[in-house]
Amino acid sequence: MSWIDYSQNVRIRDLEESLGSAYSQMTQDRKRMRSELSHLKGDLGQRLDRVSATLDAFIELSDLRVTLSLFDGMAITRHRTLQMLDGAFLGELRLDDVPGYWLVPAARGLHHLLNGDLPRARARFAEAAEIDRERALGFTALATALTSSENAHLLGSGAATELLPHLPLPEVRPTRVQRALWLLSADGSFGDDAREHLLLSTLRHWSAEDARVATVEAWSATAPSTSGGRGRTPSKDPFAVRSRTAKALGRLREQVSHVTGPNGEDEPDRVLAPDQASVDFLKETLRLLVEEGGPEEAPLLAEARALRATIENGGEKVEPPHWNEGTDDVANLIQRDLTSTDTPLRRRTFALVVQRTTVLEDAERLAADLNTPLPETTTVSTQGVDVTIDAAGADQGQIERVRGLISERHTAGGDARSMVWVTLGIAAVLGLLALFTMNGFLWFLTLVSLGGSVLAHHSSTKGRGEGEAAIAEARRRTDERIAGAVEEWRRRRLQAEEETDAAQRDLREIRRMLSV
């Protein structure tokens, strides 16, 4: 093959490799473009679906507005009611009678209440209750608490007692109105009689149903003390476990004391307005109740609110809130009322009384955990020996054994002393030979042997002194280690006894505060 043919073949192979690489790259780019195009088609399809849903909702809402225009009397009633609830002063309230619509007499009752005419307000609220008792009573209780707190116990307590005779069972989710009445009753907005009635009726109902509330973990949980750095498992050392348990009982006593202290039931005869944290929830619940509409109008208004929510959320369907929708379950709400520092103290006291049995059981359980016997002895390892320590101190026999081991390990060996006797013997033999032969070289060797004996004796003496010093130092360190372990053991035992005594005092105090 000529050089020209070889060069052409090389170029052809290079071109084939380049074409193969380019084809592979084109295949990968084609797959990537198809994936991106598919993704874009999916996003575009979702966007088109949302736009379509939004347009459909807008068209349906426009048609509904035409239908809702037939209920102008109800709409005006709702508008005037919301104005009064927002604080607007209406000198004269003119509303057309709408048969079967409870809000018309309720709005007139609210107008009389805001103008100080309590008898007429009571009569109008009663008229509304004859049309729709549940809604009218809920409106009366919430509206009076929010707009005329000084009269809430006169007009709202009866409504609250009828709508919420007792709290539901712990696993049940109360409605928004029930939760609102619960908050107002627990805070004392309806007076002490309504508060006490709800509390006692709940305790009786739960007792009859054998209902129980879960442990208050935020109060009774033991702090996870770890044996090392971050991420370690909690220490299982019995003294550490007892210390954590005693501290948990102390924290539980502090929490109970804070709730039941002098400020927990401050001014018991005073009717309190809702706290600011609850006002938003109460206003929202009352607004949803008012905006529900009349019997014929309510389904249309609910559909309109759903369509409006769809439009506001870009075509995504969202379930709008309702005045009678469920909230969280009772057990979680009670624990939230009890443990949150932002909760009014009267509501926390109410929650504590409801959970009194559970809190006391938590305290008794922690106190029972403290009765677990502690180990009577411990050991400290030194020089390869485990020395037992008890209340009387360290085991003396084991200490003597440790000291014997130290002496054996640090006693100077016999090589230096043997060398002294060997060199002395050699010197004696050489001396006798030199004396008989009078050979100068033998005399020289004799002197060298005597010098070696002196050096060996010096080395032996020095080694013995260093060994004794090492033994003394090792014994001193061992004694200090054992003495420190004995002191630490006694300190931990004493601390455990003190913590147990403090825990018993905490338990007695918790029992006293919970009136057991």
Side-chain angles (χ1 to χ4, degrees):
M1 179 184 295
S2 65
W3 173 255
I4 295 176
D5 294 337
Y6 176 76
S7 299
Q8 289 178 346
N9 290 335
V10 171
R11 291 179 181 178
I12 289 172
R13 285 196 299 269
D14 291 342
L15 288 173
E16 289 177 348
E17 292 177 358
S18 299
L19 287 174
S21 176
Y23 180 77
S24 177
Q25 183 64 37
M26 289 175 61
T27 303
Q28 293 178 1
D29 292 342
R30 190 181 296 112
K31 291 181 178 179
R32 180 175 54 81
M33 291 179 65
R34 285 177 179 174
S35 177
E36 292 179 356
L37 181 60
S38 176
H39 182 68
L40 289 174
K41 286 182 178 179
D43 287 348
L44 183 59
Q46 292 177 358
R47 292 179 183 178
L48 289 176
D49 290 341
R50 289 186 178 183
V51 171
S52 177
T54 302
L55 290 175
D56 292 342
F58 184 78
I59 293 172
E60 292 180 26
L61 183 59
S62 300
D63 295 339
L64 272 178
R65 286 174 176 170
V66 176
T67 306
L68 288 172
S69 63
L70 301 175
F71 302 94
D72 287 342
M74 296 182 182
I76 292 174
T77 301
R78 289 194 300 276
H79 178 67
R80 297 302 184 201
T81 303
L82 292 175
Q83 280 185 313
M84 290 186 287
L85 292 176
D86 289 337
F89 176 74
L90 302 180
E92 184 178 1
L93 181 65
R94 294 182 178 180
L95 296 176
D96 295 333
D97 290 330
V98 180
Y101 192 30
W102 64 272
L103 187 59
V104 175
R108 290 169 177 163
L110 177 60
H111 184 261
H112 292 313
L113 178 64
L114 295 177
N115 284 277
D117 193 344
L118 195 60
R120 297 181 67 182
R122 191 193 301 272
R124 290 298 188 181
F125 287 143
E127 180 183 346
E130 293 177 358
I131 300 174
D132 191 320
R133 192 159 190 83
E134 181 182 8
R135 289 171 174 79
L137 291 179
F139 177 87
T140 301
L142 298 183
T144 53
L146 289 171
T147 62
S148 182
S149 58
E150 65 276 7
N151 294 317
H153 66 291
L154 298 175
L155 298 176
S157 59
T161 301
E162 182 172 338
L163 292 181
L164 188 67
H166 52 73
L167 296 185
L169 297 178
E171 67 275 8
V172 177
R173 299 177 61 190
T175 65
R176 289 183 67 103
V177 169
Q178 286 178 326
R179 175 58 174 166
L181 297 176
W182 172 1
L183 295 178
L184 293 170
S185 299
D187 290 348
S189 298
F190 294 138
D192 283 344
D193 290 341
R195 182 172 185 263
E196 183 178 357
H197 175 273
L198 179 61
L199 181 59
L200 295 179
S201 62
T202 298
L203 294 176
R204 286 193 295 267
H205 177 61
W206 285 16
S207 177
E209 297 293 334
D210 195 23
R212 299 181 61 81
V213 183
T215 297
V216 187
E217 291 291 341
W219 280 11
S220 60
T222 56
S225 174
T226 58
S227 57
R230 181 180 299 179
R232 301 288 184 88
T233 57
S235 173
K236 295 183 179 180
D237 176 70
F239 290 95
V241 172
R242 173 166 294 208
S243 179
R244 293 199 302 268
T245 304
K247 290 178 180 178
L249 188 56
R251 288 193 302 271
L252 180 59
R253 191 260 310 157
E254 290 177 359
Q255 294 291 349
V256 174
S257 176
H258 177 71
V259 175
T260 61
N263 295 325
E265 292 290 340
D266 190 23
E267 300 184 51
D269 296 330
R270 178 186 174 190
V271 177
L272 301 177
D275 67 293
Q276 189 58 43
S278 303
V279 165
D280 293 338
F281 176 77
L282 299 174
K283 285 185 175 180
E284 176 68 9
T285 301
L286 186 57
R287 183 186 64 80
L288 292 173
L289 176 59
V290 171
E291 291 181 347
E292 182 189 27
E296 297 183 23
E297 185 189 23
L300 300 176
L301 288 175
E303 186 178 357
R305 284 192 293 271
L307 293 172
R308 191 177 298 111
T310 300
I311 296 172
E312 293 174 352
N313 287 275
E316 183 177 356
K317 291 186 178 181
V318 178
E319 187 68 25
H322 188 266
W323 68 272
N324 214 24
E325 66 184 359
T327 57
D328 201 354
D329 59 71
V330 171
N332 288 337
L333 292 174
I334 285 183
Q335 294 222 7
R336 190 183 309 163
D337 290 346
L338 180 60
T339 59
S340 176
T341 56
D342 296 330
T343 302
L345 278 174
R346 300 196 80 186
R347 193 187 309 166
R348 296 187 71 184
T349 306
F350 183 93
L352 177 60
V353 175
V354 172
Q355 295 195 105
R356 180 176 65 87
T357 302
T358 300
V359 173
L360 182 61
E361 288 177 354
D362 291 342
E364 298 284 359
R365 173 181 56 80
L366 292 172
D369 291 342
L370 292 172
N371 294 328
T372 303
L374 291 173
E376 296 295 334
T377 62
T378 187
T379 59
V380 57
S381 181
T382 179
Q383 301 295 327
V385 177
D386 290 336
V387 179
T388 302
I389 299 175
D390 55 18
D395 188 300
Q396 293 299 319
Q398 293 172 341
I399 292 178
E400 292 301 327
R401 180 185 172 191
V402 171
R403 290 176 177 174
L405 290 174
I406 292 174
S407 299
E408 292 177 2
R409 292 170 183 173
H410 293 85
T411 299
D415 291 344
R417 290 192 296 270
S418 298
M419 185 60 67
V420 172
W421 292 108
V422 170
T423 52
L424 284 176
I426 293 173
V429 172
L430 290 175
L432 290 174
L433 291 175
L435 183 63
F436 286 118
T437 61
M438 300 301 291
N439 189 318
F441 181 71
L442 291 176
W443 285 113
F444 172 74
L445 292 177
T446 300
L447 293 175
V448 170
S449 299
L450 290 174
S453 299
V454 173
L455 291 176
H457 176 71
H458 177 73
S459 176
S460 175
T461 303
K462 182 179 179 181
R464 187 165 54 252
E466 291 177 350
E468 292 175 354
I471 291 173
E473 178 63 20
R475 287 182 174 179
R476 183 187 64 80
R477 290 197 302 266
T478 300
D479 291 342
E480 288 180 354
R481 178 178 174 81
I482 294 175
V486 171
E487 182 179 355
E488 176 65 14
W489 174 255
R490 289 173 176 171
R491 183 192 66 79
R492 299 187 72 182
R493 295 281 301 185
L494 178 61
Q495 180 182 354
E497 293 175 0
E498 293 175 348
E499 289 174 341
T500 301
D501 293 340
Q504 292 299 325
R505 292 193 297 271
D506 290 334
L507 178 61
R508 289 193 294 270
E509 182 65 12
I510 291 173
R511 288 172 174 170
R512 184 193 64 79
M513 289 185 291
L514 295 179
S515 300
V516 176

